[in-house]
Amino acid sequence: MSKLPQDIIVDILSYLPVKSLVRFKCVCKPWQSLISDPRFVKLHLKRAIEGNNINRQRLLVAAEPLYSSVDFEAASDGDDINAVMELPYPSAASRTESFAFASIRGSCDGLVCIRNGGDVHDMFLWNPSTRESKKLPKPSSYVQKDGFLTGLGYDSTIDDYKLVIACLTTANGSHKIMAPEVFTLKTNSWRRIQGIHSGITLEGGAGVFWNGALYWLGKQETGADHDVNAIFSLDVAHEKFRGFVPLPNHFCTAVLSISGNCLCIFGKLHPDESYFEAWITSEYGVKTSWRRRFSIPFDRLYIDYFSTETCLTKKGVLMDHHGCPGTLQLYNPVEDATKLLRVKNDGDPIYDSAVYTESLVSLR
């Protein structure tokens, strides 16, 4: 290997999984320096996300008694031994009884934001692949326990990661963005940003980062009997909310996700919620760019009130099966087959999960 040109060595290493690269840091000082180099970290991340690659994507499940990282492509291909990996608690997490209620508040480039227990102000960033974690300072404004949204994204113009947080509920009970704030990793501080237009209601929860923007589901007031269900976005670099794109009107519920380089919508259909559909787009804002991947009758899936759609796989869809604690389901629409995966869980059907990409991105 030492006889190979340096650029060939770099190219070979950039295609390897994070687990191997972390071990290779111990081979010699030159490799430790190379693998830790920010330029190599960016190249490795580029390899992980280019070409609609979903082989480096994992599902992080935050459930007692352990976190789990699920390689859903390995499971889909029958590699059950390597499909589920248990992860230790992040070092930045304060281990308390309320930690069972930890929720994932965003995912971007291998970093995830986690709310620790019931305290909304107790949050940290974590790279599950390298195990590095960082506790965040509290936002300057008070954030209510319920009814707030978040989103973790990357600003390529300044090469920095940003976390957006905003309270959704006003004193009179109406829902709108109130004093959104943004945290930047390099400055390790929060500051206020411009709010959203009136007449828009965003759903609380974690936004999805894709192509330089954060996306949430919500409603746009029209003055008619029914508001428009739509996708809203925030430009991470300019820190401004943009316009909305209506959802297909036959959806009664919807979930946003990412698959490779595509934005996905999973929806349950009107009028009787008897079908489940998955749609993807690679060009946001262009109505004709949405493509339906498949439509599945509900009786072919293990669906209950708590079930949520998570992500597309090469062969189908991965779903949380919350009604059966600690169970995930992989459905293959071509073979009309369902496979169940088990993760460690204390029996509580309410737990959180999010898709992340394996990366070497550092929090320093």
Side-chain angles (χ1 to χ4, degrees):
M1 197 72 166
S2 60
K3 296 180 180 180
L4 290 175
Q6 180 70 4
D7 58 339
I8 300 298
I9 294 177
V10 170
D11 192 57
I12 293 173
L13 292 177
S14 69
Y15 285 96
L16 297 181
V18 173
K19 185 177 181 180
S20 299
L21 293 173
V22 170
R23 291 202 311 268
F24 290 167
K25 280 186 175 184
C26 302
V27 171
C28 59
K29 287 186 177 180
W31 276 28
Q32 181 184 27
S33 177
L34 167 64
I35 295 170
S36 302
D37 190 303
R39 291 170 296 181
F40 178 80
V41 171
K42 284 184 171 58
L43 176 62
H44 182 265
L45 178 63
K46 180 183 177 183
R47 296 279 193 256
I49 62 179
E50 68 185 359
N52 228 19
N53 184 4
I54 59 177
N55 288 325
R56 297 275 183 86
Q57 289 188 333
R58 303 288 184 266
L59 180 72
L60 179 66
V61 180
E64 286 282 341
L66 288 169
Y67 281 97
S68 297
S69 177
V70 180
D71 185 343
F72 42 85
E73 293 302 337
S76 183
D77 292 335
D79 185 5
D80 294 345
I81 295 177
N82 296 308
V84 180
M85 179 174 63
E86 296 174 359
L87 301 176
Y89 285 104
S91 58
S94 52
R95 191 72 169 90
T96 63
E97 291 182 2
S98 64
F99 196 77
F101 300 100
S103 62
I104 302 173
R105 307 303 302 184
S107 172
C108 177
D109 291 351
L111 303 180
V112 294
C113 175
I114 296 181
R115 184 188 77 181
N116 189 9
D119 186 354
V120 235
H121 298 90
D122 187 2
M123 294 190 295
F124 59 91
L125 294 176
W126 183 35
N127 184 328
S129 303
T130 64
R131 311 294 195 267
E132 185 182 2
S133 59
K134 175 185 176 66
K135 185 174 177 59
L136 302 182
K138 294 183 178 182
S140 60
S141 61
Y142 175 74
V143 179
Q144 300 182 37
K145 182 176 180 180
D146 299 311
F148 74 104
L149 62 82
T150 55
L152 180 63
Y154 174 69
D155 184 348
S156 60
T157 64
I158 59 173
D159 186 26
D160 202 1
Y161 290 90
K162 295 179 177 180
L163 175 67
V164 177
I165 184 169
C167 184
L168 286 173
T169 306
T170 62
N172 62 9
S174 62
H175 288 71
K176 65 179 182 180
I177 296 296
M178 281 184 62
E181 291 188 58
V182 62
F183 169 86
T184 51
L185 183 58
K186 287 183 177 179
T187 65
N188 194 42
S189 62
W190 294 89
R191 54 186 169 76
R192 295 278 184 92
I193 62 172
Q194 181 180 334
I196 200 170
H197 307 293
S198 60
I200 294 174
T201 301
L202 296 185
E203 295 182 0
V208 171
F209 179 74
W210 178 67
N211 284 359
L214 285 164
Y215 297 86
W216 294 271
L217 293 173
K219 295 181 182 293
Q220 170 68 57
E221 294 180 4
T222 62
D225 293 338
H226 301 286
D227 296 335
V228 175
N229 293 316
I231 303 173
F232 298 87
S233 63
L234 174 121
D235 186 303
V236 172
H238 294 94
E239 299 175 357
K240 291 184 178 180
F241 286 91
R242 306 189 299 196
F244 69 95
V245 173
L247 293 178
N249 57 16
H250 60 282
F251 283 169
C252 66
T253 61
V255 175
L256 280 179
S257 186
I258 295 293
S259 179
N261 292 331
C262 293
L263 184 67
C264 310
I265 300 177
F266 302 101
K268 299 179 177 70
L269 274 59
H270 285 303
D272 56 0
E273 302 184 28
S274 58
Y275 277 82
F276 160 81
E277 287 188 349
W279 292 63
I280 62 172
T281 183
S282 57
E283 193 175 358
Y284 181 76
V286 180
K287 189 175 182 180
T288 55
S289 70
W290 286 98
R291 307 187 307 278
R292 185 172 67 181
R293 283 288 299 271
F294 46 74
S295 180
I296 308 168
F298 268 19
D299 60 7
R300 309 309 303 159
L301 301 170
Y302 293 95
I303 294 235
D304 55 36
Y305 178 79
F306 295 108
S307 296
T308 57
E309 306 76 20
T310 304
C311 62
L312 294 176
T313 69
K314 288 180 179 178
K315 298 180 180 180
V317 64
L318 175 69
M319 303 181 71
D320 289 332
H321 185 21
H322 286 293
C324 185
T327 304
L328 305 171
Q329 58 179 318
L330 282 162
Y331 180 76
N332 185 330
V334 175
E335 299 178 359
D336 188 24
T338 299
K339 180 176 183 176
L340 299 181
L341 295 175
R342 304 286 183 181
V343 296
K344 283 199 173 181
N345 181 273
D346 64 357
D348 188 348
I350 307 300
Y351 57 87
D352 214 353
S353 63
V355 176
Y356 72 97
T357 300
E358 285 198 321
S359 81
L360 293 163
V361 173
S362 176
L363 294 169
R364 298 174 184 172

